[in-house]
Amino acid sequence: MGRYFIDRYRLIGERYYGSQRSQVVRRYLTGFLWGNLSTIATSVTYLYVALQAIAGRLTLGDLTLYTTAAQSVQNSIQGILGGFSGMYEHNLYLSNLFELMETESVLPTRADPVPVPTPVRGEITFDHVSFAYPGATDNALTDLSFTVSAGETIAIVGRNGAGKTTLFKLICRLYDPGEGRILIDGVDIRDYDPAQLRAQIGGMFQDYVTYQATAAENIGLGSLGAIADRDAILKASRQAGSDGLIAGLPQGYDTALGKWFDAGVNLSGGEWQKVALARAFMRDARILLLDEPTSALDAQAEYELFERIHSLTRGRTAVYISHRFSTVRRADRIVFLEHGRLVEEGTHEQLMRLNGRYARLFRLQASAYTGEDVLPEDVDLDIAPTA
């Protein structure tokens, strides 16, 4: 593909060069005209002073005085014009900054927000929630209603585009629902202060950040106030299963991760995910949201993590998204979404007895390991939604 991209780069470069060239030509032509006017004005001044001196109306000292004054005025005018040019140029950049700083939050906040309990119990209720992203014509979630009890572990499953990650974003109040409401401990989250609410939520999204910092800092950033607390960092790392990985690094927790710096160590995708997971456990939050927490982990690391998940989430409300049904079945309850709607809900055993969408996908995935055929007619995927 090298030749293709080189041609594309050349095409873009030629268009950019043409645009810049026309601007530079206009700029220098304007400068040339202003320069000529300034030169003509100065020349006329010098000529007038010289003629006055020849006629005997000015002395040699007067001639020197006026000549110096004219030159000083010319320099001042050029300085003023240059200043205006610089101000205009800088304003093009500053206007973007001012526009950003003047942007108001699209999320309305109450003047007297309800204090967030510390800690929260962790009960989450979706009450007929519908939501569409700005500019989208279709809803990402439609009339969604269910409750996650305090201390319960819930798995959210469904095909791609079912609205699983959107559900997490709404809990974090990155967006507000178009219809319905989301309650935490019986209070609409729009009544809470967003910063206080998010402080009670620990989470890891699919697009987690790989910070070019030390391993300890990468984990400690999950709770900025405790970033220097090495004991808390070690505890979070053990919970996520990244302690063995970090122990093998050249400087342990003080090893720089990433290759921006010479001594930095680059990690694989699964290793980075362990660090990001430790960052989520770093925050002592009662609500834990994990979006595909094991997507890049090997089978053994995934098994070890979910063997510990119940002890790790004891006393917390845990909601996680996963496409691996071997881990989903370990949840206290499973919620199946399709096209933004809740179509099935229950434990693994209940959903298998229901023989609906969840059972169909579970058997499809299991057949890859067992070799058993799953016939399309086994389950009708167009059955009416059930709660």
Side-chain angles (χ1 to χ4, degrees):
M1 295 187 293
R3 176 54 53 190
Y4 171 79
F5 285 116
I6 289 172
D7 290 341
R8 294 286 296 179
Y9 183 84
R10 181 179 292 111
L11 176 63
I12 295 171
E14 288 173 353
R15 291 185 177 178
Y16 176 78
Y17 171 75
S19 172
Q20 290 294 304
R21 177 175 153 179
S22 62
Q23 292 183 34
V24 169
V25 167
R26 288 198 304 270
R27 173 175 158 184
Y28 280 101
L29 281 177
T30 303
F32 176 72
L33 293 175
W34 278 109
N36 282 343
L37 289 176
S38 177
T39 301
I40 292 172
T42 303
S43 299
V44 169
T45 302
Y46 286 163
L47 178 61
Y48 175 78
V49 171
L51 292 176
Q52 293 297 312
I54 292 172
R57 297 188 183 92
L58 297 175
T59 64
L60 184 59
D62 293 333
L63 176 63
T64 304
L65 173 64
Y66 287 121
T67 302
T68 305
Q71 186 175 4
S72 177
V73 171
Q74 180 186 17
N75 292 337
S76 298
I77 292 175
Q78 288 179 345
I80 291 172
L81 294 177
F84 279 123
S85 175
M87 288 170 61
Y88 173 75
E89 201 167 315
H90 294 315
N91 183 63
L92 295 177
Y93 297 98
L94 287 174
S95 60
N96 292 335
L97 174 62
F98 293 146
E99 182 180 353
L100 173 64
M101 295 177 66
E102 291 172 359
T103 301
E104 296 183 359
S105 172
V106 297
L107 297 177
T109 56
R110 285 183 45 165
D112 55 339
V114 176
V116 178
T118 306
V120 298
R121 290 189 300 109
E123 181 185 80
I124 305 171
T125 301
F126 277 69
D127 183 17
H128 298 285
V129 171
S130 295
F131 171 76
Y133 285 100
T137 55
D138 298 328
N139 281 349
L141 297 175
T142 303
D143 197 26
L144 186 62
S145 295
F146 68 95
T147 296
V148 184
S149 301
E152 189 178 21
T153 299
I154 294 289
I156 308 295
V157 298
R159 295 178 177 83
N160 293 331
K164 303 184 296 295
T165 300
T166 300
L167 183 145
F168 278 14
K169 292 178 179 179
L170 292 177
I171 295 176
C172 295
R173 212 191 166 203
L174 302 181
Y175 299 92
D176 278 340
E179 298 177 13
R181 56 183 186 155
I182 302 171
L183 311 176
I184 291 183
D185 291 350
V187 178
D188 192 325
I189 62 173
R190 287 172 289 198
D191 294 335
Y192 288 135
D193 177 80
Q196 293 182 11
L197 171 66
R198 293 168 190 153
Q200 298 296 321
I201 299 174
M204 187 190 79
F205 286 88
Q206 291 182 17
D207 52 348
Y208 55 85
V209 180
T210 56
Y211 295 102
Q212 302 288 320
T214 65
E217 290 170 334
N218 261 282
I219 297 173
L221 285 169
S223 179
L224 197 58
I227 193 170
D229 187 344
R230 186 54 62 95
D231 290 337
I233 291 173
L234 293 174
K235 179 182 177 182
S237 182
R238 285 194 299 270
Q239 290 177 332
S242 63
D243 51 335
L245 157 70
I246 297 175
L249 298 177
Q251 285 85 40
Y253 285 85
D254 295 318
T255 303
L257 303 185
K259 298 301 292 183
W260 284 11
F261 303 99
D262 292 339
V265 174
N266 211 6
L267 303 181
S268 68
E271 291 170 334
W272 270 119
Q273 190 167 35
K274 287 183 179 180
V275 174
L277 190 58
R279 189 186 308 145
F281 283 119
M282 180 68 187
R283 181 173 296 184
D284 186 21
R286 290 297 181 268
I287 299 175
L288 189 62
L289 307 178
L290 302 175
D291 191 352
E292 290 287 348
T294 61
S295 60
L297 298 185
D298 58 67
Q300 180 176 345
E302 178 189 22
Y303 175 80
E304 292 173 352
L305 173 64
F306 279 97
E307 279 296 301
R308 300 193 308 269
I309 197 71
H310 281 287
S311 62
L312 296 177
T313 58
R314 186 174 294 116
R316 304 184 185 186
T317 300
V319 186
Y320 66 87
I321 296 170
S322 181
H323 288 289
R324 300 186 184 182
F325 288 84
S326 58
T327 60
V328 166
R329 65 184 301 173
R330 300 171 184 265
D332 298 330
R333 192 154 48 95
I334 300 165
V335 172
F336 194 102
L337 299 183
E338 188 164 276
H339 304 303
R341 296 178 181 272
L342 191 155
V343 293
E344 293 177 5
E345 180 182 4
T347 65
H348 170 76
E349 291 75 16
Q350 290 171 341
L351 293 180
M352 291 302 294
R353 287 196 298 270
L354 181 63
N355 202 30
R357 291 166 169 79
Y358 174 85
R360 164 68 171 164
L361 292 182
F362 182 86
R363 293 192 185 102
L364 282 173
Q365 195 170 105
S367 67
Y369 298 95
T370 63
E372 296 179 2
D373 292 331
V374 179
L375 300 177
E377 58 269 23
D378 284 352
V379 177
D380 181 9
L381 293 182
D382 291 326
I383 59 177
T386 58

